[in-house]
Amino acid sequence: MAPSGPGSSARRRCRRVLYWIPVVFISLLLGWSYYAYAIQLCIVSMENTGEQVVCLMAYHLLFAMFVWSYWKTIFTLPMNPSKEFHLSYSEKELLEREPRGEAHQEVLRRAAKDLPIYTRTMSGAIRYCDRCQLIKPDRCHHCSVCDKCILKMDHHCPWVNNCVGFSNYKFFLLFLAYSLLYCLFIAATDLQYFIKFWTNGLPDTQAKFHIMFLFFAAAMFSVSLSSLFGYHCWLVSKNKSTLEAFRSPVFRHGTDKNGFSLGFSKNMRQVFGDEKKYWLLPIFSSLGDGCSFPTCLVNQDPEQPSTPAGLNSTAKNPENHQFPAKPLRESQSHLLTDSQSWMESSTNAGKCKTDLISNPNLDF
């Protein structure tokens, strides 16, 4: 790697400043909306005291939750792979000596034999990051903006100037939810005054223009946020990230778009946690450590034909499954202790059969 000079360092600093522009824009817009709604609409334009009190109380609750979740999404640092996924000095030397090919992969296979990984590259090779010099855990990807490998990376969001991944995905979902509720509440309570604006029912003050633009902004953001929030709710229900929705993960047996899905309820718990009292609060409660995840793999030998009989024969002989020796950490294994199957029966209908991964080496 070429040494970085003063010029490249200055460019990096300039980029860091530019990356904050969307966050500053959202913050200024939020500050103006507070002034327009709380001051110009509630205090100046509303004549009914009861309506003022109710609207201000509900507004400040939504405003506080919006700001709290937005703050947590921005300033929660993305989690990176632990040290065990980094290559040792001797392994790095071996990789540098070996040309790209089977010998290169053999070094990576030896390094990854005790790691809890299922996924592979499209060619079936061990997923390795040359930039970070580590073996990528499942669902981990390298972010070109952050220049780091991010655990369970969903995407890099310019509106929060941060990578959305394992450590802050719950906060990002709550940010979308509360920002949508915030906009819907403003649009609903501002509607009658917006109509009065066009019927000349409002006094000719500056408040009328704040009321008009406030409604337009709230309605416009409500439409965009509802589609984005709905999309991420679908992702959570399927236990997918944005990256996995565009490119399905590849396992040892092949590509499986639902490889990490455990059924709706367990998918929800993996993001929001077991304790429902924390679900609506921007407090970290996601399950696991971000390095290993329970999987619901199609138990099929890739050498066998894709038939129901082939699936059944494979399911009866779990010893044929080429799974890692230690596929799950203790922090994730309790998802598998329920008497229920990994996939809910309604999810199984019309799909190929799936079985709970049975591994005698798991330490529950």
Side-chain angles (χ1 to χ4, degrees):
M1 186 182 298
S4 58
S8 60
S9 178
R11 283 194 296 272
R12 281 198 300 270
R13 285 196 293 268
C14 289
R15 282 199 298 267
R16 289 196 193 103
V17 173
L18 292 176
Y19 290 153
W20 284 102
I21 290 178
V23 177
V24 172
F25 172 75
I26 294 294
S27 301
L28 291 175
L29 188 62
L30 188 60
W32 167 78
S33 69
Y34 183 90
Y35 170 76
Y37 188 89
I39 306 299
Q40 296 294 337
L41 178 61
C42 291
I43 296 178
V44 175
S45 301
M46 289 183 182
E47 298 178 352
N48 188 302
T49 304
E51 184 184 9
Q52 283 181 334
V53 172
V54 172
C55 286
L56 283 172
M57 288 179 63
Y59 173 80
H60 280 91
L61 176 62
L62 290 174
F63 181 82
M65 298 305 295
F66 179 10
V67 172
W68 187 10
S69 57
Y70 189 45
W71 177 276
K72 293 284 286 185
T73 307
I74 295 172
F75 294 105
T76 299
L77 295 177
M79 288 181 63
N80 311 119
S82 55
K83 291 182 179 179
E84 62 186 312
F85 290 91
H86 291 258
L87 297 185
S88 64
Y89 181 77
S90 59
E91 289 168 338
K92 290 178 184 178
E93 282 190 328
L94 282 174
L95 277 185
E96 290 174 358
R97 289 200 299 265
E98 298 293 348
R100 292 281 181 176
E102 186 59 31
H104 192 272
Q105 274 297 302
E106 184 59 33
V107 174
L108 293 178
R109 277 194 289 267
R110 287 200 302 268
K113 64 183 177 66
D114 292 326
L115 294 178
I117 55 174
Y118 286 129
T119 52
R120 298 291 186 265
T121 64
M122 295 296 293
S123 62
I126 300 292
R127 298 171 66 242
Y128 177 72
C129 179
D130 292 303
R131 188 81 174 174
C132 300
Q133 294 186 315
L134 56 82
I135 295 172
K136 294 179 182 178
D138 292 344
R139 316 185 82 174
C140 174
H141 298 275
H142 187 88
C143 175
S144 58
V145 180
C146 299
D147 197 23
K148 294 178 181 178
C149 282
I150 308 299
L151 294 181
K152 197 188 175 185
M153 180 177 173
D154 188 87
H155 68 289
H156 186 94
C157 181
W159 298 107
V160 300
N161 189 28
N162 199 2
C163 255
V164 177
F166 175 75
S167 62
N168 62 350
Y169 186 63
K170 177 192 173 183
F171 306 149
F172 177 74
L173 283 173
L174 292 178
F175 158 62
L176 293 179
Y178 287 123
S179 58
L180 176 59
L181 290 175
Y182 180 80
C183 292
L184 289 174
F185 176 79
I186 289 177
T189 53
D190 188 28
L191 178 60
Q192 59 174 314
Y193 298 94
F194 177 76
I195 295 173
K196 287 181 181 180
F197 172 85
W198 295 104
T199 57
N200 296 321
L202 289 177
D204 193 14
T205 62
Q206 66 171 353
K208 63 188 298 185
F209 297 102
H210 285 288
I211 290 171
M212 180 187 67
F213 289 115
L214 185 64
F215 180 82
F216 274 128
M220 180 180 64
F221 278 104
S222 295
V223 173
S224 59
L225 285 169
S226 60
S227 59
L228 185 59
F229 179 63
Y231 175 67
H232 278 277
C233 287
W234 176 80
L235 289 178
V236 171
S237 70
K238 299 295 184 181
N239 205 337
K240 295 181 180 181
S241 66
T242 300
L243 294 176
E244 291 164 353
F246 284 97
R247 177 179 292 179
S248 299
V250 180
F251 298 88
R252 291 187 180 186
H253 69 273
T255 302
D256 190 342
K257 65 180 181 179
N258 295 315
F260 290 108
S261 182
L262 309 176
F264 179 78
S265 61
K266 290 184 180 180
N267 293 343
M268 288 284 293
R269 285 165 52 196
Q270 196 172 95
V271 175
F272 291 96
D274 289 327
E275 299 189 60
K276 294 183 179 181
K277 62 183 178 181
Y278 295 125
W279 281 18
L280 299 181
L281 298 176
I283 298 172
F284 184 81
S285 58
S286 302
L287 300 181
D289 57 5
C291 289
S292 62
F293 296 90
T295 60
C296 192
L297 300 176
V298 177
N299 296 327
Q300 178 180 0
D301 187 344
E303 301 296 328
Q304 298 297 326
S306 168
T307 61
L311 289 176
N312 288 334
S313 62
T314 308
K316 291 177 182 178
N317 188 8
E319 294 180 357
N320 293 332
H321 302 168
Q322 297 180 353
F323 295 155
K326 299 176 182 177
L328 294 179
R329 302 175 187 274
E330 292 181 0
S331 56
Q332 282 287 0
S333 62
H334 77 280
L335 277 174
L336 314 181
T337 57
D338 295 347
S339 59
Q340 301 175 355
S341 64
W342 280 43
M343 295 292 288
E344 296 171 352
S345 58
S346 59
T347 309
N348 284 335
K351 298 184 179 180
C352 56
K353 297 181 180 179
T354 59
D355 297 296
L356 174 63
I357 294 175
S358 176
N359 193 322
N361 293 322
L362 275 177
D363 182 13
F364 287 99

